[in-house]
Amino acid sequence: MKQASMAWLLAALLLPAAAGAAGLRIVGEHLPPSSMMEGNVVVGRETLKVRDIMARAGIGYTMELLPWKRAYAQALREPDTCIFSTTRTQEREAQFRWIGPLNEAEWILYGLAERHLALRTLADARGLVIGTVLGDARDDYLRQHGMNVAPVTQEWINPQKLLLGRIDLWAVGLAVGSKPFVGKEWEGKVVPLLTFNRVQTYLACNLKVPEAQAAAMQRAAAAMRRDGSMAREQLR
């Protein structure tokens, strides 16, 4: 099984070079451990799932990480572009071709342990300043519920703002069963206060991505769920 997984990964890493200009463009954001740079290569838990999908579907691609709002705008605008990991919401449903799901996630409000804040419902957070990412589904959701959000362009800025007391809460999206913040400077200082939503995340492709390519990617994602590849990657 390990040899098979390595074969898929090798094929996935070779595909972008083989594809040239004819392949799809896949964009995401810097969000360890899901997507991050290792040298000049995009790696990470969700990145590996996307690479596996593309290898199984036999579709060439390039991949890069951008600030979320910019990546999202490009996926909406450019006909050969897909973005990961994108929360599937009713508002977004008709805007993309959806490949997946890649994962299930919980939206959690985190705060400083030393403040001993108690939240039983989202309404209890009304009036507190919540750190979000501009253009993210969590940002949209909290705005719609009348929350006081303070968006940034990249997620890594929010924990720093929380530690400095510039925001009261941080709205985090975490894969179900993941172990967040291990080895981070804020480990133990930042604690979960309220899970306020549960969602699924996908590879979302521009509507002009050919239907045949989208279907091949969806078949690959379904095969990964059947053979356990999706679940294995979620445990990494």
Side-chain angles (χ1 to χ4, degrees):
M1 185 64 71
K2 184 176 181 181
Q3 290 179 340
S5 297
M6 290 300 295
W8 279 119
L9 178 58
L10 179 60
L13 290 173
L14 290 175
L15 265 174
L24 295 179
R25 182 187 185 199
I26 297 178
V27 294
E29 66 173 328
H30 176 76
L31 190 64
S34 295
S35 48
M36 53 203 170
M37 298 300 299
E38 190 172 280
N40 294 322
V41 179
V42 183
V43 299
R45 183 185 60 221
E46 303 304 299
T47 304
L48 188 56
K49 293 181 188 180
V50 173
R51 291 194 184 280
D52 201 344
I53 287 172
M54 301 306 288
R56 294 184 189 219
I59 298 172
Y61 66 98
T62 60
M63 183 180 287
E64 65 179 310
L65 301 183
L66 303 168
W68 179 257
K69 189 174 183 180
R70 179 181 167 194
Y72 190 83
Q74 289 187 356
L76 281 175
R77 182 178 66 247
E78 298 179 5
D80 59 348
T81 304
C82 303
I83 182 172
F84 75 105
S85 296
T86 310
T87 301
R88 190 171 185 171
T89 66
Q90 184 176 354
E91 293 77 16
R92 293 173 171 176
E93 184 66 30
Q95 296 179 327
F96 295 103
R97 296 188 186 274
W98 298 94
I99 313 301
L102 303 178
N103 214 338
E104 294 183 352
E106 295 177 328
W107 291 355
I108 304 172
L109 292 179
Y110 277 78
L112 291 178
E114 64 185 25
R115 291 189 61 180
H116 303 289
L117 293 173
L119 302 178
R120 291 173 297 176
T121 69
L122 189 56
D124 293 332
R126 200 174 303 277
L128 298 176
V129 180
I130 305 173
T132 61
V133 175
L134 189 64
D136 182 84
R138 296 186 299 279
D139 181 71
D140 292 339
Y141 182 92
L142 291 169
R143 289 174 188 271
Q144 291 169 8
H145 285 76
M147 298 295 113
N148 183 14
V149 298
V152 294
T153 57
Q154 298 187 61
E155 188 74 89
W156 64 267
I157 300 173
N158 277 319
Q160 304 301 326
K161 291 179 66 177
L162 185 61
L163 291 172
L164 292 171
R166 294 171 57 190
I167 55 177
D168 301 301
L169 302 168
W170 173 23
V172 183
L174 295 174
V176 174
S178 63
K179 299 177 181 179
F181 313 150
V182 174
K184 302 293 185 182
E185 63 181 280
W186 56 84
E187 183 180 3
K189 299 178 182 179
V190 176
V191 295
L193 300 176
L194 176 71
T195 298
F196 64 97
N197 202 8
R198 288 177 172 83
V199 298
Q200 290 182 319
T201 59
Y202 287 73
L203 175 65
C205 293
N206 186 279
L207 292 174
K208 292 186 179 179
V209 167
E211 185 175 351
Q213 287 188 328
M217 289 187 282
Q218 185 58 38
R219 287 195 297 270
M224 289 172 64
R225 288 196 297 276
R226 288 194 300 270
D227 67 25
S229 297
M230 287 289 191
R232 282 196 301 273
E233 293 309 324
Q234 287 172 193
L235 296 176
R236 286 176 180 263

